[in-house]
């Protein structure tokens, strides 16, 4: 069974940084596309970033986080990360790790972690 545990969320000041980590069970992070999503209260879930399978390569970022966030894998540790820099209050939300049985970032995601809260506030 595919399962994910997200960690690294918490409280950050505007302009600060956080690193989210996704630890999978029953899955290797390099084989298929993986993504980070977030959901703020009263808003729809939003795709933040995606990384294609290691065999394909390539990344995607939403316009709101472009040049501030970086998605990456550590295949040796079997971990997925989201480095978040220059955080803004609008980045606040629950962040979810996700994957799907596809090499590519396009299309819907099927498997989800439990989420980790990120709060950006003074």
């Amino acid at each position: 069974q595919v399962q994910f545990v997200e960690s690294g969320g918490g409280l950050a000041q505007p302009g600060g940084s956080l690193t989210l980590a996704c630890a999978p069970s029953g899955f290797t992070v390099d084989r298929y596309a993986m993504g980070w999503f977030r959901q703020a209260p009263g808003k729809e879930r939003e795709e933040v970033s995606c990384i294609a399978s290691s065999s394909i390569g390539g990344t995607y970022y939403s316009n709101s986080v472009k040049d501030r966030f970086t998605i990456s894998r550590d295949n040796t540790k079997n971990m997925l990360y989201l480095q978040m820099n220059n955080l803004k209050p609008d980045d606040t939300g629950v962040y979810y790790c996700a994957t799907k049985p596809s090499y590519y970032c396009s299309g819907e995601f099927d498997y989800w972690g439990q989420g980790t809260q990120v709060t950006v506030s003074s």
Side-chain angles (χ1 to χ4, degrees), residues 14-63:
S17 297
L18 288 172
T19 300
L20 305 184
C22 175
S25 298
F27 186 79
T28 54
V29 298
D30 64 322
R31 289 183 60 86
Y32 300 105
M34 300 193 71
W36 287 99
F37 292 73
R38 69 187 181 191
Q39 187 167 26
K43 297 183 179 179
E44 295 183 352
R45 188 168 58 195
E46 171 192 20
E47 185 174 11
V48 174
S49 183
C50 178
I51 184 167
S53 71
S54 295
S55 62
I56 297 298
T59 56
Y60 161 83
Y61 298 95
S62 68
N63 289 334

Side-chain angles (χ1 to χ4, degrees), residues 1-108:
Q1 183 177 359
V2 175
Q3 296 184 7
F4 300 106
V5 177
E6 299 101 329
S7 62
L11 177 65
Q13 296 185 10
S17 297
L18 288 172
T19 300
L20 305 184
C22 175
S25 298
F27 186 79
T28 54
V29 298
D30 64 322
R31 289 183 60 86
Y32 300 105
M34 300 193 71
W36 287 99
F37 292 73
R38 69 187 181 191
Q39 187 167 26
K43 297 183 179 179
E44 295 183 352
R45 188 168 58 195
E46 171 192 20
E47 185 174 11
V48 174
S49 183
C50 178
I51 184 167
S53 71
S54 295
S55 62
I56 297 298
T59 56
Y60 161 83
Y61 298 95
S62 68
N63 289 334
S64 62
V65 308
K66 184 75 173 180
D67 300 322
R68 299 189 297 117
F69 291 9
T70 302
I71 189 170
S72 64
R73 294 183 175 97
D74 186 328
N75 294 334
T76 301
K77 298 180 179 179
N78 198 36
M79 297 284 288
L80 179 74
Y81 301 99
L82 184 68
Q83 176 66 48
M84 305 186 295
N85 296 325
N86 193 23
L87 285 162
K88 303 176 180 180
D90 285 346
D91 295 321
T92 295
V94 179
Y95 283 69
Y96 299 90
C97 177
T99 192
K100 57 182 175 180
S102 173
Y103 297 153
Y104 306 100
C105 284
S106 60
E108 300 297 317

